Amino acid sequence: MREEKSNNPSLVKIKSKKNKWLWPSIYVGFSLLFVGMIWGYNAFVGPESDVADSGLVINPNGEEAKVPVTAQKENMKFPFDEAMLDQMTILQDFYDTEASKESQENSLLVFNQTYETNSGVSISIEGQPFEVVSAMSGTVKEVNLDPFIGDEIIVEHENGYLTVYRSVTEILVKTGDVVKQGQAMATSTENEFNPTAGIHLQFEVFDDKGEVMNPRTYLAF
């Protein structure tokens, strides 16, 4: 049987148009679906992202709470106002077995005709009282009153180090106080153990293992 061909030109045109727009329509449909999915995802996670970026979280009760921020690591600073650095003098240095002979001689403390090696640095600022500040932020571990070697403040720091401030008076802090770097804690004075030094600060540093350290390792004295 012979297949009959359509003699209707309008029908041919209609079929041609349908074939022409079929695939573009499918492509547009998928594109709209994809865009809709992205928009929906952003709408869902957007508020949480904004909260995270702002440093806030939402508690289960709907209240905002601060997100803990990692504190920036501090570098040790001078235990006095750095503006007075040019007037500062190291009276006695830290005793280092590997230091020069001159440095070792300068690290000896004389008391009752005997020599003691210095476990820190003895700081003087033109022989005058000066404000003693915390070299790093931390917690006051001890406040010891001893007129012979000098009253002292011991501060424990986050890294486990201890800084000791001896030969001080007019103490402004007490055990358990949290102090910030540069916070005033006392005033330098003289003591009976090292009378030749006059008014000074005995500054010492201990690491997290309890080993005494040379303050010059951390500060450009």
Side-chain angles (χ1 to χ4, degrees):
M1 180 181 229
R2 188 176 57 153
E3 182 180 355
E4 293 183 1
K5 296 183 178 180
S6 174
N7 295 322
N8 189 341
S10 299
L11 183 60
V12 174
K13 289 182 179 181
I14 291 173
K15 288 181 177 181
S16 176
K17 289 181 178 180
K18 286 182 177 180
N19 291 335
K20 180 179 179 180
W21 293 104
L22 177 62
W23 289 108
S25 299
I26 294 174
Y27 174 77
V28 171
F30 274 107
S31 298
L32 292 174
L33 178 62
F34 182 71
V35 171
M37 291 174 63
I38 293 177
W39 181 86
Y41 176 79
N42 288 335
F44 178 74
V45 302
E48 294 183 0
S49 298
D50 292 342
V51 168
D53 292 340
S54 65
L56 300 174
V57 293
I58 303 299
N59 289 330
N61 58 8
E63 296 179 353
E64 294 179 348
K66 289 288 184 181
V67 174
V69 179
T70 302
Q72 185 177 0
K73 184 179 179 181
E74 285 184 343
N75 293 317
M76 189 178 296
K77 292 187 176 181
F78 295 102
F80 53 85
D81 186 350
E82 292 189 18
M84 298 186 294
L85 187 58
D86 291 340
Q87 290 80 48
M88 184 272 303
T89 302
I90 297 295
L91 301 177
Q92 283 99 20
D93 215 335
F94 175 85
Y95 184 82
D96 188 344
T97 56
E98 298 181 359
S100 65
K101 183 177 180 180
E102 181 181 356
S103 177
Q104 289 180 345
E105 290 178 352
N106 190 46
S107 65
L108 296 176
L109 305 176
V110 181
F111 175 74
N112 198 22
Q113 298 182 343
T114 60
Y115 290 97
E116 298 278 348
T117 57
N118 197 5
S119 55
V121 289
S122 304
I123 303 169
S124 172
I125 298 182
E126 298 183 338
Q128 299 298 316
F130 60 88
E131 189 174 68
V132 176
V133 304
S134 181
M136 291 194 298
S137 300
T139 303
V140 178
K141 185 177 182 180
E142 296 179 30
V143 175
N144 299 313
L145 305 180
D146 189 329
F148 178 67
I149 63 172
D151 296 348
E152 69 176 6
I153 302 169
I154 301 176
V155 179
E156 184 173 19
H157 307 285
E158 189 177 33
N159 59 2
Y161 278 43
L162 298 177
T163 50
V164 179
Y165 313 79
R166 188 180 300 122
S167 189
V168 297
T169 187
E170 300 176 6
I171 296 175
L172 303 174
V173 296
K174 63 183 182 301
T175 301
D177 282 356
V178 176
V179 293
K180 295 182 179 179
Q181 186 176 55
Q183 179 177 332
M185 297 190 297
T187 302
S188 62
T189 189
E190 52 191 353
N191 61 63
E192 296 178 16
F193 174 71
N194 191 11
T196 58
I199 297 173
H200 70 285
L201 168 69
Q202 174 71 11
F203 179 62
E204 301 174 0
V205 179
F206 294 82
D207 66 13
D208 55 353
K209 298 177 182 178
E211 297 291 332
V212 63
M213 305 295 291
N214 187 348
R216 289 184 182 272
T217 304
Y218 310 96
L219 299 168
F221 282 118

